[in-house]
Structures are given as C-alpha cells and as structure tokens.
Amino acid sequence: MKKYYITTPIYYVNSEPHIGSAYTTIIGDIIARYKRLIGYDVFYLTGTDEHGQKILQAAREKGKDPQELCDELSEKFKKLWEDLNITNDYFIRTTDPKHMETVQLFVSKMLENGDIYKGIYKGWYCVPCETYWNEDEINITEDGEHVCPSCGRPLNFVEEENYFFRLSKYTQPLLEHFKNNPDFVEPEFRRNEMLKILEGGLKDLSITRTTFNWGIPMPNDPKHVIYVWVDALINYISAIGYGRDEQTFNKWWPADVHLIGKEINRFHSIIWPAMLMSVGLPLPKKIFAHGWLTVNGQKISKSLGNAIDPREFVKKYGNDVIRYYLTRDIVFGKDGDFSEENLVQRLNSDLANDYGNLLHRTVAMVVKNFDSIIPEPQESLEIDNILIEKFEKLLKKYYEYMDSYKLTNALEEIWAYIGEINKYFDENKPWILAKEGNKKRLASVLYNTLEAILRVATLLMPFMPDSSNEVYKRLSQNINPEEVFEKKWNVLKPKEKVIHGRPLFNKIDLKNFEKIATRKEEQKVQNKSVEENVALISFDDFKKIDLRVAEILEAEKIKKSEKLIKLIINLGELGKRQIVAGIAKYYEPEKLIGKKIVVVANLKPAKLMGVESQGMLLAAKINDKLTLLTVDDDIEPGAKIS
RNA sequence: GGCGGCGUAGCUCAGUGGCUAGAGCAACUGAUUCAUAAUCAGUGAGUCAUGGGUUCGAGUCCCAUCGCCGCCA
C-alpha cells in the first residue's frame, strides 16, 4: 500500500487558535481524507509548539507556570480539531519528553558532524518575533529607540555566547536541490523568493539561547537551550519515531508534503532542509506555502485581538459549509478574504440550490412514484451514456487537480458536473414520465440521477464528510466508496429505501442575516482603548498624518442633522477649508469662532449629510464628554504639529 | 533601497501575441413545475489601472507612472 505523510505546522501556543490555523488544518484534512479515500495509507500530523521566550512571557503575564499554560492551550487546539472533525493521526507537543529527547539526539548528530560551533552573538533581539536582527536591519526611532523592523516594537540588545549552525555550508547543496526539484516549494513565486535568498548566500544561524530556560537543553552544554525553531522543525520526524522506532520512521519519512503558511517558508524551505542534510536524512518531497486569510477584509492579528474563533462559524453554519467555502472561494496558495457574505452566497447557490436541492427533488420523486424504493435501471439511452461519460471525464480531472493541490479547481469541476445532473434531470422531464405512466423510463432516469449524486457525494467526501455520509444514509447505501472509483456505473444498489429528510443545506437570507464578525466588532469597540495601546504604528505611519493648527472662522449647524457642524477654518499657508465635525451636541456654533484647534489636514475629503468635509478636527471624548484639542499658546494658523 | 507579483464585467476570478476578451455568482428575459421562489435556456457597448513603445497584430512583450501586496536589505 502506498503511503502518504502530510503535516501542518505545529501551532504556537501563545494564544488561542484562530481561523488561520483552522484553515491550514482543514486543508490538510481534506488532502489526508482524499488520499485515504483513494487507497493510500496516510499519516496526518499536527500539534503544538510550546517552547520559547514568548510563551514564558505569556505565562508570566498570566501568573502561570509555562507548562500549565501549554497544557491548557494545546488542549484547546486538540479540542478544536475534534470539533472540526479533523482526522489527524497524531498530535505532537514539543514539551513531550519523547520529542525533547529526539531533538537532543538530532542536535548531537549535528554536533558530531561538526556543523555546530560556539561563537559570540551580539545584537538586537525581538522577543515577540523570537528573532535576532542585524544592525543594518533594524529601525531607529526619533528618540533613539531601536525597534523591530517586523513588528515595530522595542528591541533588546543582547550579547551572549551561542552555538551556531553552519547553515552557510548548505547554500550550494540547497541550490542544487532546488534546481533538481523544481516542485520542491510551491507555489512557484514562493519558490523564487527562496531561491533569491539562496543565491544571496546563507549566514550561519544562532541556534541556542542562554537568557532563559524554557526550552530543550543543549545536550553537551545544558546552560543553553535550543532555539525554538530548531526544536519545532524536528517535530516532523520525532512524531514518527525518529531515533526511537526506526521501522515506523522509515515507513513514513520523507514527508510527502509540509503544509505551511507563507510566513514560515524560510524555516521550512531552507533551514529545515539544511538541518536534514546535516544529519543525512532525505528531504521532504514538497513544501506548500499557502497565503493568509483576512476576515471580512480585515487582517487577522493575534495582537489586535480580532482573531475570530472558528467554532462560532462552525456552530452557525456547520463544518461542511465552512470547509466547502474555504476551499471553493479561496484559491489555495494565494491570499484570500474570509467573507461571511460570500460564504452565505456559496451556501445558498452552490450547496442548497445546486446540490442539496438536486438530491431533494430526486428523492421526492422516488418517494411518490416508487414507494420510496430505489428502482432498478432499465434499458439505457444515449443521454444516459453521456452522463456516464461526463463523470469519467470529471474523475480524471478530479485526480489531476487533487494530486496537485488545486482543490478549488477540483470543486469547480464537481459543480460543473452537478450542473450536468440537473440538466439531465430537466431534459428527461421525469415528472412528465410519471404523468404518462412511463415507469420504465422513469426508473432509469431516477436511478441514473441518484447514481450520479452518489458519485458526487463520494468525490466530495474529503471536502464535506458529514453531508456525503448523509447522502449515503439517505439512499441507504452500505457500499464501499472505493467502488465509485473502480466501477464504471451502477454502483448504486437498487431496491433500497430512500429517506426524504430535510434539505441537506439550509439557505440563509442574505438580506438580513447577522454576521458573526459584526458581533465581534461590537465587542472590539468596547475594548478599543485597550486595543489602541496594543496596536503600535511606526513613526513612518505617524508621519503620514499632517496635523495642523487651524483657526475657526465660521461655524454653523447643518440642517437636518443633530450632530454636525460645518466649519470654515483658516489653515494659514494651506488656505481656507470647509470641514464638518460631529460636535453639535457639545458646542454652540457661535462659541467656536476664533478658537485655534487641531485638524488632520491631509484626510481624504468625504461628504457628510451631503456636505463636503476637507479635513477632520481632533477632540477628546470619553462617555458623554467631549472637548476640542486646542493649542497652549498662541500660534499662527497652519503651524505643523509633530 | 533592491527584486518580484498583482491591478480584466456589479462581485470573485480565468485568460500559450492573432477569429467578435471568458467562467461562476448577482441582475434581466424566456421555459418549466419534480424540488429549498428551485432547476434549465438565453442575455455582458467591460477605457483588459494610466501613458508611451515594439509588432501586420498586445489584456498577453518592452519602458515609464499610479495604486495594492510579497520577499530581501
């Protein structure tokens, strides 16, 4: 039996799981289920990454022991995967003693091979990103603070004795490997990015830390803990028994694919292969880096706290719908937006109308005309053969797309076929056959339609296991799905009873449905002050805002509006402007005239109640109190504020 | 700053230099009534971001500009 080993990244447990990690894991699950369906022996691995300074810090902030925090969070991940019906074969945790021993074994081998040496690391370190930065990479703020080029937060200067991995040594071998294996990293543009890095030459990598101890001790020098990424990457082999169970290990390794997010591509496509080369193990066959999801147009960000619990979506729409939407609407590999409206759109038109209704209408006719018993097919006509041939074509494309991870395309093809089945049904007009009493032909038409539906449900099993199983149940088919792949047609067992249950998928009225995300956004408004402290912007971002002192020349209330006041302001060198401000509840227009206020001078103009506003004034507000920002001493209008 | 990608119908996107630029969804029209107002058929005068250029011919190649994004520094 052919084997297939697929992995997700192991998720860092410094925060709760969100839709992004769910996305990777769902995709992995679909691929794993597909391979099992077509007869592979599959090992699907996921887990949690639990070491490193960030976790130590998160634990301290919560007043918890780090292990306790890891236990809690990894449990949440496990639970979520259960809720999402993920069929992982193992869940690895990097704090598992077996994993820790394996890491030490692996690193010992690297030591023996002379790929690790001791050196001094001096430089800047970003704790949240767990990353060291070179002097020429970091940003310096106006007041001389060194900040992380990636996240904008302050850096710590560290000088420590570290062990280094001779990554530089593997530049050439990796280049060779990339050249000889054009499909090693996908999509292609990600591969090219990595290739560029390799062509620039690799630097040795610091792989131990001494400033904290939440990690795996270096085997020869326990003062040092092993860098969390080295620790984490080894999970892919420790989970399958490297160094402990050679037989199992040899069965699964090398991995067929590491599914990852684009942000960790360098670790998987360069560092991990180099580590494997160092100890003489074969490399994974493929690294597939998918894109990022935004949710309703917003970036998912752990630090912003707008991460959405995938469970809420599942509770509302069901597992299958989420799985379908994620694979159908978001092209695998590219960035995409998780839009709840689009999801409902897909649910209504693809799932409920095209697919669910097809089963429903066919079963209804079996109930009425054949007393709920699936009839036996009779003599077949040309039109029947076309339906059969089209399925054969579909199956070919299905294999092709599924094997190259083009899941979106596979679904597209399946839906094109669902369209064909609906068409077949319409063209044969079974309701007329029933009226005419042509039971023979009616039997064939209904049988063929059900057979086609059964086949579609089978191809959809990896994507939507629940509804596919439901189709099998409704048609009382106790058959092995493999028959669908092996036999040409007539897999459906006649004389079985159909169950005319509720529609497979329920539609949702697009015009008035309550979005989950909206509810979350409301919460966000309440937490706004907290978030504003967290959401750091760079100095460059700040510089984009042109703040100016302005003198109010005229002020009048806008008719029909309770809140708005129209102001004519003097901006000195920038001339006069008209702005609209929502301050009528707090200020009488006449009292505003002459005041020196602060405005954003380069805001895009906007119309409020039909009146153009060419800027925005600044005011402080809390609860029901509002006060305008003014300047402490007299200064000319137009003065820049920085 | 360097390298790369993207910008195509209301929406999501396809489109090896060459007949009148496509698909799905939405919309509209017709058919139909077995079905969850469903399905089937038909309907697109889109500056293919902008401006140049190469070519007999460019969404497709080249250059520049604008906007968005990625990787690296």
Coordinates of all heavy atoms in Angstrom, one line a residue, chain A residues 50-127:
Chain A
E50 N 5.6 24.6 21.8 CA 5.4 25.1 23.2 C 6.6 25.7 23.9 O 6.5 26.0 25.1 CB 4.8 23.9 24.0 CG 3.6 23.3 23.3 CD 2.9 22.2 24.1 OE1 3.4 22.0 25.3 OE2 2.0 21.6 23.6
H51 N 7.7 25.8 23.2 CA 8.9 26.4 23.9 C 9.1 27.8 23.4 O 8.4 28.3 22.5 CB 10.1 25.6 23.6 CG 10.1 24.3 24.4 ND1 10.3 23.1 23.7 CD2 9.9 24.0 25.7 CE1 10.3 22.1 24.6 NE2 10.0 22.6 25.8
G52 N 10.1 28.5 24.1 CA 10.5 29.8 23.7 C 10.1 30.9 24.6 O 9.2 30.7 25.5
Q53 N 10.8 32.0 24.5 CA 10.6 33.1 25.4 C 9.2 33.7 25.4 O 8.7 34.1 26.4 CB 11.7 34.2 25.0 CG 11.9 35.2 26.1 CD 13.1 36.1 25.8 OE1 13.7 36.0 24.8 NE2 13.4 36.9 26.8
K54 N 8.6 33.7 24.2 CA 7.3 34.3 24.1 C 6.3 33.6 25.0 O 5.4 34.2 25.6 CB 6.8 34.3 22.7 CG 6.4 35.7 22.3 CD 5.7 35.8 20.9 CE 5.9 34.9 19.8 NZ 5.3 35.3 18.5
I55 N 6.4 32.3 25.0 CA 5.5 31.5 25.8 C 5.8 31.7 27.3 O 4.9 31.9 28.1 CB 5.5 30.0 25.4 CG1 4.8 29.9 24.1 CG2 4.9 29.1 26.5 CD1 5.1 28.7 23.4
L56 N 7.1 31.8 27.6 CA 7.5 32.0 29.0 C 6.9 33.3 29.5 O 6.3 33.5 30.6 CB 9.0 32.1 29.1 CG 9.6 32.1 30.5 CD1 9.2 30.9 31.3 CD2 11.1 32.3 30.4
Q57 N 7.0 34.3 28.6 CA 6.4 35.7 29.0 C 4.9 35.6 29.1 O 4.4 36.2 30.0 CB 6.8 36.7 27.9 CG 8.0 37.5 28.3 CD 8.3 38.6 27.3 OE1 7.5 38.8 26.3 NE2 9.3 39.3 27.5
A58 N 4.3 35.0 28.2 CA 2.8 34.9 28.2 C 2.4 34.2 29.5 O 1.4 34.6 30.2 CB 2.3 34.1 27.0
A59 N 3.1 33.2 29.9 CA 2.8 32.5 31.2 C 3.0 33.4 32.4 O 2.1 33.5 33.2 CB 3.7 31.3 31.3
R60 N 4.1 34.2 32.4 CA 4.3 35.1 33.5 C 3.2 36.1 33.6 O 2.8 36.4 34.7 CB 5.7 35.8 33.3 CG 6.8 34.9 33.6 CD 8.1 35.7 33.9 NE 9.2 34.8 34.1 CZ 10.3 34.8 33.4 NH1 10.5 35.8 32.5 NH2 11.3 34.0 33.6
E61 N 2.8 36.7 32.4 CA 1.8 37.7 32.4 C 0.5 37.2 33.1 O -0.2 37.9 33.7 CB 1.5 38.2 31.0 CG 2.5 39.2 30.6 CD 2.5 39.4 29.0 OE1 1.5 39.0 28.4 OE2 3.5 39.8 28.5
K62 N 0.3 35.9 32.8 CA -1.0 35.3 33.4 C -0.7 34.7 34.8 O -1.6 34.1 35.3 CB -1.5 34.2 32.4 CG -2.0 34.9 31.2 CD -2.6 33.9 30.2 CE -3.1 34.6 29.0 NZ -3.2 33.8 27.8
G63 N 0.5 34.8 35.3 CA 0.8 34.3 36.6 C 0.8 32.8 36.6 O 0.3 32.1 37.5
K64 N 1.1 32.2 35.4 CA 1.0 30.7 35.4 C 2.4 30.1 35.1 O 3.3 30.7 34.6 CB 0.1 30.3 34.2 CG -1.3 30.5 34.5 CD -2.2 30.0 33.4 CE -3.6 30.3 33.8 NZ -4.5 30.3 32.6
D65 N 2.5 28.8 35.4 CA 3.6 28.0 35.1 C 3.6 27.8 33.6 O 2.5 27.5 33.1 CB 3.5 26.7 35.9 CG 4.6 25.8 35.5 OD1 5.8 26.1 35.8 OD2 4.3 24.7 34.8
P66 N 4.7 27.9 32.9 CA 4.6 27.8 31.4 C 4.0 26.4 31.0 O 3.3 26.4 30.0 CB 6.1 27.9 31.0 CG 6.9 27.9 32.2 CD 6.0 28.3 33.3
Q67 N 4.4 25.4 31.7 CA 3.8 24.1 31.3 C 2.3 24.0 31.5 O 1.6 23.5 30.6 CB 4.5 23.0 32.2 CG 4.1 21.5 31.7 CD 4.6 21.2 30.3 OE1 5.8 21.3 30.0 NE2 3.7 20.9 29.4
E68 N 1.9 24.7 32.5 CA 0.4 24.7 32.7 C -0.3 25.5 31.6 O -1.3 25.0 31.1 CB 0.2 25.5 34.1 CG -1.2 25.5 34.6 CD -1.4 26.4 35.8 OE1 -0.3 26.9 36.3 OE2 -2.5 26.8 36.1
L69 N 0.3 26.6 31.2 CA -0.2 27.3 30.1 C -0.3 26.5 28.8 O -1.2 26.5 28.0 CB 0.6 28.6 29.8 CG 0.1 29.5 28.7 CD1 -1.1 30.3 29.1 CD2 1.2 30.4 28.2
C70 N 0.8 25.8 28.5 CA 0.9 25.0 27.3 C -0.1 23.9 27.4 O -0.7 23.6 26.4 CB 2.3 24.4 27.2 SG 3.6 25.5 26.9
D71 N -0.3 23.3 28.5 CA -1.2 22.2 28.7 C -2.6 22.7 28.3 O -3.4 22.1 27.6 CB -1.3 21.6 30.1 CG 0.0 20.8 30.4 OD1 0.8 20.6 29.5 OD2 0.2 20.5 31.6
E72 N -2.9 23.9 28.9 CA -4.3 24.4 28.6 C -4.5 24.7 27.1 O -5.5 24.4 26.6 CB -4.4 25.8 29.4 CG -4.8 25.7 30.8 CD -4.8 27.0 31.4 OE1 -5.0 28.0 30.7 OE2 -4.6 27.1 32.7
L73 N -3.5 25.4 26.6 CA -3.7 25.8 25.2 C -3.7 24.7 24.2 O -4.4 24.6 23.2 CB -2.7 26.9 24.8 CG -3.3 28.3 25.3 CD1 -2.1 29.3 25.4 CD2 -4.3 28.8 24.4
S74 N -2.8 23.8 24.4 CA -2.7 22.7 23.5 C -4.0 21.8 23.5 O -4.4 21.3 22.5 CB -1.4 21.8 23.7 OG -1.6 20.9 24.7
E75 N -4.6 21.8 24.7 CA -5.9 21.1 24.9 C -6.9 21.8 24.0 O -7.8 21.2 23.4 CB -6.2 21.2 26.4 CG -7.1 20.0 26.8 CD -6.7 18.7 26.2 OE1 -5.5 18.3 26.4 OE2 -7.6 18.0 25.7
K76 N -6.8 23.2 24.0 CA -7.8 23.9 23.2 C -7.7 23.6 21.7 O -8.6 23.5 21.0 CB -7.6 25.4 23.4 CG -8.2 25.9 24.7 CD -8.3 27.4 24.8 CE -8.9 27.8 26.1 NZ -8.7 29.2 26.4
F77 N -6.4 23.5 21.3 CA -6.2 23.1 19.9 C -6.8 21.7 19.6 O -7.5 21.5 18.6 CB -4.7 23.2 19.5 CG -4.2 24.6 19.2 CD1 -3.7 25.4 20.1 CD2 -4.3 25.0 17.9 CE1 -3.3 26.7 19.8 CE2 -3.9 26.3 17.5 CZ -3.3 27.1 18.5
K78 N -6.4 20.8 20.5 CA -6.9 19.4 20.3 C -8.4 19.4 20.2 O -9.0 18.8 19.3 CB -6.5 18.6 21.5 CG -5.2 17.9 21.3 CD -5.0 16.9 22.5 CE -3.6 16.4 22.5 NZ -3.2 15.7 23.7
K79 N -9.0 20.2 21.1 CA -10.5 20.2 21.2 C -11.1 20.8 19.9 O -12.0 20.3 19.3 CB -10.9 21.0 22.4 CG -12.4 21.1 22.6 CD -12.9 19.8 23.1 CE -14.4 19.7 23.3 NZ -15.3 20.7 22.6
L80 N -10.4 21.9 19.4 CA -10.9 22.5 18.2 C -10.8 21.5 17.0 O -11.8 21.4 16.2 CB -10.1 23.8 17.9 CG -10.5 24.5 16.6 CD1 -11.9 25.0 16.6 CD2 -9.5 25.6 16.3
W81 N -9.8 20.8 16.9 CA -9.6 19.8 15.8 C -10.7 18.7 15.9 O -11.2 18.3 14.9 CB -8.2 19.3 15.7 CG -7.1 20.3 15.6 CD1 -5.8 20.1 16.1 CD2 -7.2 21.6 15.0 NE1 -5.1 21.3 15.8 CE2 -5.9 22.2 15.1 CE3 -8.2 22.3 14.4 CZ2 -5.6 23.4 14.6 CZ3 -7.8 23.6 13.9 CH2 -6.6 24.1 14.0
E82 N -11.0 18.4 17.1 CA -12.1 17.4 17.3 C -13.4 18.0 16.8 O -14.1 17.4 16.0 CB -12.2 17.0 18.7 CG -11.3 15.8 19.1 CD -11.3 15.6 20.6 OE1 -12.3 15.9 21.3 OE2 -10.2 15.2 21.1
D83 N -13.6 19.2 17.2 CA -14.9 19.9 16.8 C -15.0 20.1 15.3 O -16.0 20.0 14.7 CB -15.0 21.3 17.5 CG -15.2 21.2 19.0 OD1 -15.5 20.1 19.4 OD2 -15.1 22.2 19.7
L84 N -13.8 20.3 14.7 CA -13.8 20.5 13.2 C -13.7 19.1 12.5 O -13.6 19.1 11.3 CB -12.7 21.4 12.8 CG -12.7 22.8 13.3 CD1 -11.5 23.6 12.8 CD2 -14.0 23.5 13.0
N85 N -13.7 18.1 13.2 CA -13.7 16.8 12.6 C -12.4 16.5 11.8 O -12.4 15.9 10.8 CB -14.8 16.7 11.6 CG -15.8 15.6 11.9 OD1 -15.3 14.5 12.3 ND2 -17.1 15.9 11.8
I86 N -11.3 17.0 12.4 CA -10.0 16.8 11.8 C -9.5 15.4 12.0 O -9.6 14.9 13.2 CB -9.0 17.8 12.3 CG1 -9.5 19.2 12.1 CG2 -7.6 17.6 11.7 CD1 -9.7 19.6 10.6
T87 N -9.0 14.7 11.0 CA -8.6 13.3 11.2 C -7.1 13.1 11.3 O -6.5 12.3 10.6 CB -9.1 12.5 9.9 OG1 -8.6 13.1 8.8 CG2 -10.6 12.5 9.8
N88 N -6.5 14.0 12.1 CA -5.1 13.8 12.3 C -4.8 12.5 13.0 O -5.5 12.1 13.9 CB -4.5 15.0 13.1 CG -5.2 15.2 14.4 OD1 -6.4 15.4 14.5 ND2 -4.4 15.2 15.5
D89 N -3.7 11.9 12.6 CA -3.3 10.6 13.2 C -2.5 10.7 14.5 O -2.4 9.7 15.2 CB -2.6 9.8 12.2 CG -3.4 9.5 10.9 OD1 -4.2 8.5 11.0 OD2 -3.3 10.2 9.9
Y90 N -2.0 11.9 14.7 CA -1.2 12.1 15.9 C -1.2 13.6 16.2 O -1.4 14.4 15.3 CB 0.2 11.6 15.7 CG 1.0 11.6 17.0 CD1 0.6 10.8 18.0 CD2 2.2 12.4 17.1 CE1 1.4 10.8 19.2 CE2 2.9 12.4 18.3 CZ 2.5 11.6 19.3 OH 3.3 11.6 20.5
F91 N -1.1 13.9 17.4 CA -1.0 15.3 17.8 C 0.3 15.4 18.6 O 0.4 14.9 19.7 CB -2.2 15.7 18.7 CG -2.3 17.2 19.0 CD1 -3.1 18.0 18.3 CD2 -1.5 17.7 20.0 CE1 -3.2 19.4 18.6 CE2 -1.6 19.1 20.3 CZ -2.4 19.9 19.6
I92 N 1.3 16.1 18.1 CA 2.6 16.2 18.8 C 2.7 17.5 19.6 O 2.2 18.5 19.2 CB 3.8 16.1 17.8 CG1 5.1 16.0 18.6 CG2 3.8 17.3 16.8 CD1 6.2 15.5 17.8
R93 N 3.3 17.3 20.7 CA 3.6 18.5 21.6 C 5.1 18.6 21.8 O 5.7 17.6 22.1 CB 2.8 18.4 22.9 CG 1.3 18.3 22.8 CD 0.7 18.3 24.1 NE 1.1 19.4 24.9 CZ 0.8 19.6 26.2 NH1 0.1 18.7 26.8 NH2 1.3 20.6 26.9
T94 N 5.6 19.8 21.7 CA 7.1 19.8 21.8 C 7.6 19.8 23.2 O 8.8 19.7 23.5 CB 7.7 21.1 21.1 OG1 7.1 22.2 21.7 CG2 7.4 21.1 19.6
T95 N 6.7 19.8 24.2 CA 7.1 19.6 25.6 C 7.0 18.1 26.0 O 7.3 17.7 27.1 CB 6.3 20.4 26.6 OG1 4.9 20.2 26.3 CG2 6.5 21.9 26.4
D96 N 6.6 17.3 25.0 CA 6.6 15.8 25.3 C 8.0 15.4 25.4 O 8.9 15.6 24.6 CB 5.9 15.2 24.0 CG 5.8 13.7 24.2 OD1 6.7 13.1 24.9 OD2 4.9 13.1 23.6
P97 N 8.3 14.6 26.5 CA 9.7 14.2 26.7 C 10.3 13.4 25.6 O 11.5 13.5 25.3 CB 9.6 13.3 28.0 CG 8.3 13.7 28.7 CD 7.4 14.3 27.6
K98 N 9.4 12.7 24.9 CA 9.9 11.9 23.7 C 10.5 12.8 22.6 O 11.5 12.6 22.0 CB 8.8 11.0 23.1 CG 8.6 9.7 23.9 CD 7.7 8.8 23.2 CE 6.3 9.3 23.3 NZ 5.3 8.3 22.8
H99 N 9.7 13.9 22.4 CA 10.1 14.9 21.4 C 11.4 15.5 21.9 O 12.4 15.7 21.1 CB 9.1 15.9 21.2 CG 9.5 17.1 20.4 ND1 9.7 17.0 19.0 CD2 9.9 18.4 20.7 CE1 10.2 18.2 18.5 NE2 10.3 19.0 19.6
M100 N 11.5 15.9 23.1 CA 12.7 16.6 23.6 C 13.9 15.7 23.5 O 15.0 16.2 23.1 CB 12.4 17.0 25.1 CG 11.3 18.1 25.1 SD 10.8 18.6 26.8 CE 12.1 19.4 27.5
E101 N 13.8 14.4 23.8 CA 14.9 13.5 23.6 C 15.4 13.5 22.1 O 16.5 13.5 21.8 CB 14.6 12.1 24.1 CG 14.7 11.9 25.6 CD 14.0 10.7 26.0 OE1 14.0 9.7 25.2 OE2 13.4 10.7 27.1
T102 N 14.4 13.4 21.3 CA 14.7 13.4 19.8 C 15.4 14.6 19.4 O 16.4 14.5 18.6 CB 13.4 13.2 19.0 OG1 12.6 12.2 19.6 CG2 13.7 12.9 17.6
V103 N 15.0 15.7 19.9 CA 15.7 17.0 19.5 C 17.1 16.9 19.9 O 18.0 17.3 19.2 CB 15.0 18.2 20.1 CG1 15.8 19.5 19.9 CG2 13.6 18.4 19.5
Q104 N 17.3 16.4 21.1 CA 18.7 16.4 21.6 C 19.6 15.4 20.8 O 20.7 15.7 20.5 CB 18.7 16.0 23.1 CG 18.2 17.1 24.0 CD 18.4 16.8 25.5 OE1 18.2 15.6 25.9 NE2 18.7 17.8 26.2
L105 N 18.9 14.3 20.4 CA 19.6 13.3 19.6 C 20.0 14.0 18.3 O 21.1 13.8 17.8 CB 18.7 12.1 19.4 CG 19.2 11.1 18.4 CD1 20.3 10.3 19.0 CD2 18.1 10.1 17.9
F106 N 19.0 14.6 17.7 CA 19.3 15.3 16.4 C 20.4 16.3 16.5 O 21.3 16.3 15.6 CB 18.0 16.0 15.9 CG 17.9 16.4 14.5 CD1 17.3 15.6 13.5 CD2 18.5 17.6 14.1 CE1 17.3 16.1 12.2 CE2 18.5 18.0 12.8 CZ 17.9 17.3 11.8
V107 N 20.4 17.1 17.5 CA 21.4 18.2 17.6 C 22.7 17.5 17.9 O 23.8 18.0 17.4 CB 21.0 19.2 18.7 CG1 22.1 20.1 19.0 CG2 19.7 19.9 18.3
S108 N 22.7 16.4 18.7 CA 24.0 15.7 18.9 C 24.6 15.3 17.6 O 25.9 15.3 17.4 CB 23.8 14.5 19.8 OG 23.2 14.9 21.0
K109 N 23.8 14.8 16.7 CA 24.3 14.4 15.4 C 24.9 15.5 14.7 O 26.0 15.4 14.0 CB 23.2 13.7 14.6 CG 22.8 12.4 15.1 CD 22.3 11.5 14.0 CE 22.0 10.1 14.6 NZ 21.3 9.2 13.8
M110 N 24.3 16.6 14.7 CA 24.8 17.8 14.1 C 26.1 18.2 14.7 O 27.1 18.6 14.0 CB 23.8 19.0 14.1 CG 22.5 18.8 13.3 SD 21.3 20.0 13.7 CE 21.8 21.4 12.8
L111 N 26.2 18.1 16.0 CA 27.5 18.4 16.7 C 28.6 17.4 16.2 O 29.7 17.9 15.9 CB 27.3 18.2 18.2 CG 26.8 19.4 19.0 CD1 26.3 19.0 20.4 CD2 27.9 20.5 19.2
E112 N 28.2 16.2 16.2 CA 29.2 15.2 15.8 C 29.7 15.4 14.4 O 30.9 15.2 14.1 CB 28.6 13.8 15.8 CG 28.5 13.1 17.1 CD 27.5 11.9 17.1 OE1 27.4 11.3 16.0 OE2 26.9 11.7 18.1
N113 N 28.8 15.9 13.5 CA 29.2 16.2 12.2 C 30.0 17.5 12.0 O 30.3 17.8 10.9 CB 28.0 16.2 11.2 CG 27.3 14.9 11.3 OD1 27.8 13.9 11.7 ND2 26.0 15.0 10.8
G114 N 30.2 18.2 13.1 CA 30.9 19.4 13.0 C 30.2 20.6 12.4 O 30.7 21.5 12.0
D115 N 28.8 20.4 12.4 CA 28.0 21.5 11.9 C 27.6 22.5 12.9 O 26.9 23.5 12.6 CB 26.8 20.9 11.2 CG 27.1 20.5 9.8 OD1 28.1 20.9 9.2 OD2 26.2 19.7 9.2
I116 N 28.0 22.3 14.1 CA 27.7 23.3 15.2 C 28.9 23.7 15.9 O 29.8 22.9 16.2 CB 26.7 22.6 16.2 CG1 25.3 22.4 15.5 CG2 26.5 23.5 17.4 CD1 24.3 21.7 16.4
Y117 N 29.1 25.0 16.0 CA 30.2 25.6 16.7 C 29.8 26.7 17.7 O 28.7 27.2 17.6 CB 31.3 26.1 15.7 CG 30.8 27.3 14.9 CD1 31.0 28.6 15.3 CD2 30.1 27.1 13.7 CE1 30.5 29.7 14.6 CE2 29.6 28.1 12.9 CZ 29.8 29.4 13.4 OH 29.3 30.5 12.7
K118 N 30.7 27.0 18.6 CA 30.4 28.0 19.6 C 30.9 29.4 19.2 O 32.0 29.5 18.6 CB 31.1 27.6 20.9 CG 30.4 28.2 22.2 CD 31.1 27.6 23.4 CE 30.2 27.6 24.6 NZ 30.9 27.0 25.8
G119 N 30.1 30.4 19.3 CA 30.5 31.7 18.9 C 29.8 32.8 19.8 O 29.1 32.4 20.8
I120 N 30.1 34.0 19.6 CA 29.5 35.1 20.4 C 28.5 35.7 19.5 O 28.7 36.1 18.4 CB 30.5 36.1 20.8 CG1 31.7 35.5 21.6 CG2 29.9 37.3 21.5 CD1 31.4 35.3 23.0
Y121 N 27.3 35.8 20.0 CA 26.3 36.6 19.3 C 26.1 37.9 20.0 O 25.8 38.0 21.2 CB 24.9 35.8 19.3 CG 23.9 36.6 18.6 CD1 23.8 36.6 17.2 CD2 23.1 37.5 19.2 CE1 23.0 37.4 16.5 CE2 22.2 38.3 18.5 CZ 22.1 38.2 17.1 OH 21.3 39.0 16.4
K122 N 26.2 38.9 19.2 CA 25.9 40.3 19.7 C 24.9 40.9 18.8 O 25.1 40.9 17.6 CB 27.2 41.1 19.6 CG 28.0 41.4 20.9 CD 29.0 42.5 20.6 CE 30.4 42.0 21.0 NZ 31.4 43.0 20.7
G123 N 23.9 41.5 19.4 CA 22.9 42.1 18.5 C 21.6 42.3 19.1 O 21.4 42.2 20.4
W124 N 20.7 42.7 18.3 CA 19.3 43.1 18.8 C 18.4 41.9 18.6 O 18.4 41.2 17.7 CB 18.8 44.3 18.0 CG 19.7 45.5 18.2 CD1 20.8 45.8 17.5 CD2 19.6 46.4 19.2 NE1 21.4 47.0 18.0 CE2 20.6 47.3 19.1 CE3 18.6 46.6 20.3 CZ2 20.8 48.4 20.0 CZ3 18.8 47.7 21.2 CH2 19.9 48.6 21.0
Y125 N 17.5 41.8 19.6 CA 16.6 40.7 19.6 C 15.2 41.1 19.9 O 15.0 42.0 20.8 CB 17.0 39.7 20.7 CG 16.2 38.4 20.8 CD1 16.2 37.5 19.8 CD2 15.4 38.2 21.9 CE1 15.5 36.4 19.8 CE2 14.6 37.0 22.0 CZ 14.7 36.1 20.9 OH 13.9 35.0 21.0
C126 N 14.3 40.6 19.1 CA 12.9 41.0 19.3 C 12.2 39.8 20.0 O 12.1 38.7 19.4 CB 12.2 41.3 18.0 SG 10.4 41.6 18.2
V127 N 11.7 40.0 21.2 CA 11.1 38.9 21.9 C 9.8 38.4 21.3 O 9.6 37.3 21.0 CB 10.9 39.3 23.4 CG1 10.1 38.2 24.1 CG2 12.2 39.6 24.1

